[in-house]
Amino acid sequence: MTDFHLNRHSYLIILLVAISFCISSVGYVVSKGRVDREDFKTHAVFLADDIWALNASGATAYLQLALKAQHYRSLSILIPGEDSSLEVLSRSLEGVSSLFFQLGLIWTKELEQSITYRGMVIGKLHGVKYVQVVFPLLNILCLHLLLLLIIITIDSLLRRRAILEKLVRERTHNLQDSERRFQDLVNLLPEMVFETDMDGNITYANKEAQFRFGLKGESSKSNNLFSYILEKEGTSVREKFQKTLQDGNTALKEFRAKGGDGTCFPLLMCAASIKDGEQVIGARIIGIDITERHHLEEQLLKDQKMKAIGLMAGGVAHDLNNILSGIVSYPELLLLDQGNDSPLRGPLETIRKAGMDASEVVSDLLTVARGVIAERDVVAPNDLIHEYFASHDFHELCTRYPLVSIETALAPVLNNIACSSIHVRKCLMNLITNGVEAISRHGVLLIETQNQRVTAKEQEEWCLPSQGQYTRITISDTGVGIAQDEIQQIFEPFYTKKVMGRSGTGLGLAVVWNIVRDHGGTVNVQSSSEGTAFDVYFPSVAIPQASAAEEKDWRELKGNGEVILVIDDEPRQRDVASKLLRSLGYAPCVAGSGEEALEYLANNSAAVLLLDMLMTPGQYSGRQTYEEVLKIHPGQKAIITSGYAENEDVRVTLEQGAGGFIAKPYTLEQLGTTIQTVLFH
């Protein structure tokens, strides 16, 4: 039904129609008046002959005819010189005309016209005429009302059409926006989105799916989804696909897919059927590449393994190092009383070295489990390589593998690095040892150093903390190489191809990896049947190397009877420490707990505390003991010892004023040097 709700535009139309009606009405009234006068003149002309001929009956008949035809109330003819006149009268108005006459809508007007014959006036025609313009005006009004209705109807229809066209444009635009937004959102998804027909032919694919599977365009009917699934899983995928078409949707399921570049990756898929009414016409599928999730799961398993190793290492390290203290220290004390030609010197040296080797294994285990927390000095990597070449371990390696040639290509101008020298030397030793052992008979092991700038792309690829200048140490060999599927495993703890217990512990490369990563660097491996190359990157520093301290003979480290308070809950360790201190010329006192030490220090003093960090549960720890000692003796000098590892307690205690840290088992020289440093610096 047409909406006739009037607005400003409708009122304007009504106004224009009203003006048209007024103009038409006035025009009609004016025209009607003119016509009436013309008709009256015509009547006078027709009556002239009858009046001249004195034909009264003919004139009367004409008057009656005109009276009826043109709604005259009366018509009369006056002849000059005669008293009588001809006059005809009409009947009174009836019906609606009578009502309109009474209401004044029909009125009368008088008309008068001279009757002339051949230029001579022979009489006058006088008439009273009913003015009945109301009926024509009503017709004109009805016509205008009909016109108004038609115009308003057409205008309303046009306006409704314009509104509908606007709504259609808006909804079309909104639909296009919605479709474009949907397309953008789908294409922004990191997941792959497909639509297929009943046979698995791909009818739609978002950009990620196009990229991963090498599809061209969104519609790729020439490609079948099943062709991108590995053949051995094809049957399972088809079964799931058919189940989707029957049941409507399926839960997540993992498959192995083959990308457009030929690489395989794990694909997690979820599907739902597409329906046209009640008929299933295809399937809508979301695919998620879960390669990263697998990597994270592997990393989680690795972290859990490392945590287990850490718990194991932490559980045995303290007690094992306390035990090794006796194996290392007692032979050292006995060697002080043996001459160079003593038959006991050899066995004692062997016992001492075995203890030190065992402590190195414990140290490696702690490094793998807890990382490297040590003071770092600015050093030249080339110097570290030369120091290793001068070591007993290197000479022993060369003796065992005389057919292997070890060559160097060291950069003459090489950036320094900030590192823990002992740990980086450990890296070099492990990598060089691995390289030499990988060569079956004759071969070459090459050690290179070079400055290298790491780009943003390499930083992201190698997971480095920053880009910029790095110092690269490359150790390459001409051995048998490493299988590609084993390269990712070689840095895992206890992973080795060697005979465990004879040529390795399985911790060598794990130690290398942890040390380098803790120093903000990385290790890259390239291997083939012609050999293997390890590229080790350390961040470079623009700081000059500090001058090396002079090495002292242990006899120069003797004290002058200063009191050293040994605080340790292990009796054997207190005994070892006391004997080493006496041999160095100090006066040792012992305390079996922190509480016992505080009781002693309440009435006595000590030049230096030799403080074990890990005490029996329920007693003060080394950190708590030192905090309480500082309340009694502010500025008390102390050396921290531990068979566990450097940890947060060690760091805090060093910050509080402890002068040094030595790990158990320690040697006579290490103990003497540390005490001298704490006492006089």
Side-chain angles (χ1 to χ4, degrees):
M1 184 175 180
T2 305
D3 184 7
F4 286 103
H5 176 71
L6 299 180
N7 55 19
R8 185 179 300 177
H9 190 250
S10 300
Y11 285 119
L12 179 60
I13 293 173
I14 293 172
L15 178 61
L16 292 174
V17 172
I19 293 172
S20 174
F21 170 72
C22 292
I23 293 172
S24 300
S25 298
V26 171
Y28 174 77
V29 170
V30 172
S31 175
K32 181 64 175 171
R34 185 172 63 252
V35 169
D36 286 345
R37 288 191 296 273
E38 292 296 326
D39 289 344
F40 204 71
K41 288 180 182 180
T42 302
H43 295 324
V45 171
F46 281 111
L47 288 169
D49 290 336
D50 291 333
I51 297 301
W52 179 259
L54 298 176
N55 183 5
S57 60
T60 301
Y62 184 84
L63 291 175
Q64 288 178 345
L65 182 63
L67 185 74
K68 292 180 179 180
Q70 295 186 337
H71 306 291
Y72 287 97
R73 184 177 184 180
S74 66
L75 287 171
S76 63
I77 299 174
L78 300 175
I79 300 173
E82 294 185 9
D83 295 334
S84 62
S85 62
L86 292 176
E87 184 178 14
V88 293
L89 299 172
S90 65
R91 290 187 302 176
S92 299
L93 297 175
E94 298 177 350
V96 177
S97 297
S98 175
L99 177 63
F100 283 175
F101 183 74
Q102 292 175 8
L103 294 174
L105 297 176
I106 296 176
W107 63 94
T108 60
K109 67 179 179 179
E110 293 185 0
L111 297 171
E112 192 173 272
Q113 180 65 40
S114 298
I115 300 173
T116 62
Y117 185 77
R118 295 180 180 179
M120 181 174 62
V121 176
I122 60 174
K124 285 187 179 181
L125 179 62
H126 182 271
V128 178
K129 183 175 177 60
Y130 287 112
V131 180
Q132 298 188 23
V133 295
V134 62
F135 295 111
L137 291 180
L138 285 175
N139 290 335
I140 293 172
L141 178 61
C142 290
L143 180 63
H144 278 78
L145 289 176
L146 179 61
L147 179 64
L148 176 63
L149 180 62
I150 292 171
I151 292 173
I152 290 179
T153 301
I154 293 173
D155 178 68
S156 177
L157 290 174
L158 290 175
R159 284 189 289 110
R160 284 176 61 85
R161 179 180 177 180
I163 292 171
L164 288 174
E165 288 177 348
K166 183 180 178 182
L167 288 173
V168 169
R169 286 195 301 270
E170 288 178 353
R171 291 180 181 179
T172 301
H173 180 71
N174 291 338
L175 182 62
Q176 290 172 345
D177 279 349
S178 177
E179 184 177 354
R180 185 164 51 250
R181 187 162 50 250
F182 169 77
Q183 289 285 352
D184 290 343
L185 288 173
V186 170
N187 286 326
L188 287 172
L189 288 174
E191 291 82 16
M192 291 160 272
V193 180
F194 308 94
E195 286 184 354
T196 70
D197 59 17
M198 298 290 288
D199 298 322
N201 297 316
I202 298 173
T203 58
Y204 170 82
N206 70 342
K207 287 186 177 179
E208 180 66 15
Q210 295 172 36
F211 171 74
R212 294 308 302 271
F213 292 112
L215 306 176
K216 295 182 179 179
E218 294 180 355
S219 181
S220 306
K221 293 185 178 180
S222 60
N223 297 289
N224 191 281
L225 176 64
F226 305 123
S227 64
Y228 296 102
I229 305 297
L230 295 186
E231 289 185 11
K232 62 181 180 180
E233 297 185 357
T235 303
S236 176
V237 174
R238 289 180 184 275
E239 290 175 356
K240 290 290 180 182
F241 183 77
Q242 293 302 323
K243 189 175 186 300
T244 298
L245 297 179
Q246 294 171 6
D247 300 343
N249 57 69
T250 59
L252 291 169
K253 184 70 176 178
E254 183 178 338
F255 302 98
R256 294 288 297 177
K258 181 172 60 177
D261 57 357
T263 59
C264 295
F265 59 92
L267 182 65
L268 196 63
M269 293 175 61
C270 182
S273 60
I274 302 174
K275 291 186 177 181
D276 184 5
E278 295 298 323
Q279 182 181 3
V280 178
I281 60 173
R284 188 172 290 116
I285 303 167
I286 293 180
I288 306 171
D289 181 358
I290 55 173
T291 303
E292 184 64 25
R293 193 175 86 173
H294 280 195
H295 289 164
L296 291 174
E297 289 174 351
E298 291 172 3
Q299 185 62 43
L300 178 61
L301 290 174
K302 183 178 179 181
D303 291 343
Q304 290 174 340
K305 184 191 296 184
M306 296 300 291
K307 184 177 180 180
I309 294 171
L311 291 173
M312 179 191 70
V316 303
H318 182 74
D319 292 338
L320 188 57
N321 278 327
N322 278 338
I323 295 170
L324 291 174
S325 293
I327 298 174
V328 171
S329 299
Y330 281 122
E332 194 168 28
L333 289 171
L334 292 172
L335 285 170
L336 296 178
D337 300 327
Q338 304 298 319
N340 292 333
D341 56 350
S342 172
L344 295 176
R345 177 167 289 276
L348 290 173
E349 286 283 4
T350 301
I351 295 171
R352 180 179 176 278
K353 186 177 183 307
M356 294 302 295
D357 289 344
S359 71
E360 284 295 316
V361 174
V362 176
S363 176
D364 286 349
L365 198 59
L366 288 172
T367 299
V368 170
R370 303 192 179 276
V372 178
I373 307 173
E375 233 177 85
R376 298 182 183 182
D377 301 316
V378 176
V379 298
N382 288 345
D383 291 347
L384 293 178
I385 294 171
H386 289 304
E387 287 175 14
Y388 175 65
F389 286 166
S391 69
H392 174 74
D393 291 323
F394 179 72
H395 289 298
E396 186 176 311
L397 183 68
C398 293
T399 302
R400 285 164 47 206
Y401 298 93
L403 300 179
V404 177
S405 173
I406 298 178
E407 301 176 0
T408 61
L410 307 182
V413 180
L414 189 65
N415 294 331
N416 293 333
I417 61 175
C419 69
S420 167
S421 301
I422 186 170
H423 288 99
V424 174
R425 276 198 299 270
K426 182 75 173 178
C427 285
L428 294 173
M429 182 184 75
N430 288 353
L431 290 173
I432 292 172
T433 301
N434 272 15
V436 170
E437 290 179 347
I439 300 172
S440 57
R441 288 183 60 80
H442 293 276
V444 177
L445 183 132
L446 177 63
I447 304 170
E448 301 175 83
T449 57
Q450 188 68 45
N451 296 321
Q452 181 168 334
R453 185 164 192 81
V454 172
T455 64
K457 180 181 179 182
E458 291 169 334
Q459 175 203 353
E460 182 178 356
E461 182 181 348
W462 299 342
C463 300
L464 289 169
S466 62
Q467 55 183 304
Q469 201 66 38
Y470 282 75
T471 301
R472 173 171 58 85
I473 303 173
T474 300
I475 299 174
S476 56
D477 62 67
T478 58
V480 295
I482 305 171
Q484 292 300 314
D485 58 346
E486 294 179 356
I487 287 180
Q488 294 301 320
Q489 298 174 277
I490 60 176
F491 294 110
E492 294 181 5
F494 305 117
Y495 181 84
T496 181
K497 290 293 185 178
K498 304 173 185 178
V499 180
M500 289 288 284
R502 292 184 58 187
S503 59
T505 62
L507 293 173
L509 291 179
V511 169
V512 170
W513 176 261
N514 280 269
I515 290 173
V516 175
R517 296 300 289 181
D518 284 344
H519 281 80
T522 192
V523 183
N524 293 335
V525 186
Q526 296 88 36
S527 186
S528 67
S529 59
E530 297 178 356
T532 303
F534 286 84
D535 293 321
V536 182
Y537 292 86
F538 289 101
S540 300
V541 295
I543 303 173
Q545 183 179 9
S547 56
E550 291 185 13
E551 293 188 10
K552 294 184 179 180
D553 189 295
W554 72 271
R555 295 177 183 82
E556 300 176 12
L557 303 175
K558 286 196 171 186
N560 295 311
E562 292 90 344
V563 176
I564 308 295
L565 178 60
V566 179
I567 308 170
D568 200 304
D569 62 341
E570 178 64 37
R572 182 168 42 205
Q573 188 61 34
R574 294 197 298 271
D575 182 60
V576 169
S578 296
K579 290 181 178 179
L580 289 174
L581 288 169
R582 286 194 187 93
S583 66
L584 288 169
Y586 294 105
C589 295
V590 296
S593 66
E595 290 81 354
E596 188 178 335
L598 291 171
E599 186 178 340
Y600 172 83
L601 291 171
N603 301 308
N604 301 280
S605 62
V608 177
L609 305 182
L610 189 60
L611 176 62
D612 185 23
M613 290 303 294
L614 190 62
M615 298 291 187
T616 303
Q619 298 179 344
Y620 278 166
S621 66
R623 172 180 170 179
Q624 292 172 321
T625 301
Y626 189 62
E627 288 172 350
E628 295 299 322
V629 168
L630 290 177
K631 296 177 183 178
I632 305 172
H633 298 286
Q636 174 66 59
K637 296 180 178 181
I639 298 170
I640 304 168
T641 68
S642 179
Y644 187 59
E646 296 188 46
N647 55 21
E648 185 64 24
D649 279 354
V650 171
R651 268 195 295 268
V652 172
T653 307
L654 289 171
E655 290 171 0
Q656 289 174 338
F661 171 83
I662 51 176
K664 298 177 183 178
Y666 44 79
T667 65
L668 186 69
E669 183 181 347
Q670 289 173 333
L671 181 60
T673 301
T674 307
I675 293 175
Q676 288 280 323
T677 301
V678 171
L679 278 175
F680 302 111
H681 292 83

